[in-house]
Amino acid sequence: DAGVTQSPTHLIKTRGQHVTLRCSPISGHKSVSWYQQVLGQGPQFIFQYYEKEERGRGNFPDRFSARQFPNYSSELNVNALLLGDSALYLCASSSHGQAYEQYFGPGTRLTVT
Amino acid sequence: SQQGEEDPQALSIQEGENATMNCSYKTSINNLQWYRQNSGRGLVHLILIRSNEREKHSGRLRVTLDTSKKSSSLLITASRAADTASYFCATDGTGGFKTIFGAGTRLFVKA
């Protein structure tokens, strides 16, 4: 079975631009979470979606948004990119939500110049 | 802000030695999880311990949880060079819809 997949692997954007990151969960998993990991730090929680509804939101500005589709895949959108948005963006899926173990994808490395 | 705080920040040991990492957190939890990350790649789930459990084992891993002290420890026995990685604790926080990671412990195992 395929694990969690994310696309693209790497991305370079310019300040002020918009970016869309994609995630496909493990088959049968209904929960997807997004994290931002800056170099040298632990992952920071951005969003959790379960059954296509937002269930949790971290302390991120409204420039960050996400959605989950009927097939449980998910997109993370970031508008008006700032240099500080440069990070590894991780997607994780789980069968029921945060009370269960999460399976992480390899991440998307975003560089904002 | 991050709820979990790992200690030490970095740990360097010889192959075959045991490695112990500690995690402290601030608020009540339903469960605590430990993850491993190799070279800035995706995280790998190691073990989940629920708030009503005190100790859990998985292979060479042993995790303890002390909810009265809001702390947990991860012990890796008979370490190997392949154990070199960053280790993170993560808690679910109130409501269970937000996972909070600590800053991690960087473990270096020398062959």
Side-chain angles (χ1 to χ4, degrees):
Chain A
D1 282 341
V4 177
T5 60
Q6 292 186 244
S7 63
T9 305
H10 295 87
L11 201 53
I12 299 175
K13 290 288 209 178
T14 304
R15 275 178 299 176
Q17 287 187 319
H18 160 271
V19 69
T20 297
L21 310 180
R22 295 178 175 83
C23 171
S24 292
I26 290 172
S27 177
H29 282 190
K30 299 179 180 180
S31 174
V32 170
S33 297
W34 287 95
Y35 297 85
Q36 180 196 66
Q37 186 177 25
V38 174
L39 193 63
Q41 297 183 19
Q44 295 278 333
F45 174 80
I46 309 176
F47 289 109
Q48 192 224 348
Y49 278 78
Y50 179 70
E51 285 282 19
K52 291 155 284 184
E53 290 188 5
E54 181 185 305
R55 294 298 185 94
R57 173 185 284 255
N59 295 325
F60 280 82
D62 292 343
R63 299 185 296 108
F64 289 76
S65 64
R67 55 180 174 168
Q68 187 176 34
F69 299 99
N71 66 354
Y72 301 109
S73 67
S74 177
E75 281 183 356
L76 175 70
N77 295 283
V78 186
N79 293 322
L81 285 167
L82 303 174
L83 295 179
D85 295 331
S86 295
L88 180 68
Y89 288 84
L90 296 162
C91 170
S93 77
S94 65
S95 56
H96 293 81
Q98 305 305 82
Y100 296 80
E101 63 185 72
Q102 297 179 71
Y103 295 83
F104 281 79
T108 293
R109 174 74 62 187
L110 172 65
T111 302
V112 182
T113 62
Chain B
S1 63
Q2 295 180 301
Q3 159 149 263
E5 295 288 339
E6 282 93 339
D7 171 63
Q9 290 186 349
L11 179 61
S12 182
I13 59 175
Q14 292 292 134
E15 209 167 30
E17 293 181 337
N18 295 341
T20 300
M21 289 159 268
N22 302 295
C23 166
S24 60
Y25 56 92
K26 299 173 184 174
T27 63
S28 297
I29 61 172
N30 293 315
N31 67 71
L32 184 145
Q33 304 183 49
W34 285 90
Y35 289 84
R36 184 186 73 223
Q37 186 177 38
N38 291 83
S39 301
R41 301 176 64 85
L43 283 77
V44 174
H45 183 268
L46 296 177
I47 199 162
L48 180 152
I49 185 166
R50 301 201 184 278
S51 59
N52 61 353
E53 297 176 307
R54 291 296 167 259
E55 188 171 312
K56 209 162 183 180
H57 296 256
S58 177
R60 294 184 296 112
L61 306 180
R62 172 177 169 258
V63 168
T64 62
L65 179 64
D66 186 336
T67 53
S68 67
K69 296 181 179 178
K70 292 186 170 59
S71 67
S72 174
S73 68
L74 169 67
L75 168 67
I76 304 174
T77 60
S79 63
R80 306 166 182 168
D83 294 329
T84 295
S86 292
Y87 291 82
F88 297 91
C89 69
T91 56
D92 63 337
T94 55
F97 294 121
K98 176 186 283 193
T99 300
I100 309 299
F101 281 82
T105 292
R106 281 121 190 104
L107 174 65
F108 302 91
V109 182
K110 294 176 283 188

